[in-house]
Amino acid sequence: MNNQVVSSQTRPVRSTALVRVAALAVSALSPREREIIQLLAEGLSNKAVAERIALPYPTVHMHVENIFAKLGVNSRAAAITQWALATGQAIIPASELDNPSNG
C-alpha cells in the first residue's frame, strides 16, 4: 500500500473528532511518556530508548506499558498512530488523499 506521511499543517486529517480523541488521550501522558512515545515513533526499540535517555530498560518498559494503558491501546503501532494524530502527523494511505468521497 502506498502511504504518505502528511502533516495536518499541509493537509487536514479528515476526521476532526478522531484527532480530538487522540489529542485528549495523548494529553494524559506525562512529559517523560511523551518523550518516550516520540522516540518509539522514530523507530527506536525499548532498549534503544533506554540507552538514549539514560534510564534502566525496566523503567522504559514500564513507561511503554503506561502509555498503552493511558491511550487504551495494546500495540506500539496503535500508540504511535494516536500520537501521530494528536501531534499533527499521520500516515494516511495515498488513496485516501486522492479520493474526496472518503470522509
Side-chain angles (χ1 to χ4, degrees), residues 18-66:
L18 182 62
V19 172
R20 280 191 224 121
V21 168
L24 182 61
V26 168
S27 71
L29 300 178
S30 71
R32 177 64 86 182
E33 290 165 344
R34 289 182 192 164
E35 178 183 19
I36 289 171
I37 198 166
Q38 167 70 44
L39 295 171
L40 296 178
E42 291 175 18
L44 274 64
S45 66
N46 288 2
K47 181 179 178 186
V49 169
E51 291 170 358
R52 171 86 61 92
I53 61 177
L55 285 178
Y57 172 83
T59 302
V60 170
H61 181 76
M62 177 198 63
H63 281 304
V64 172
E65 292 297 319
N66 289 341

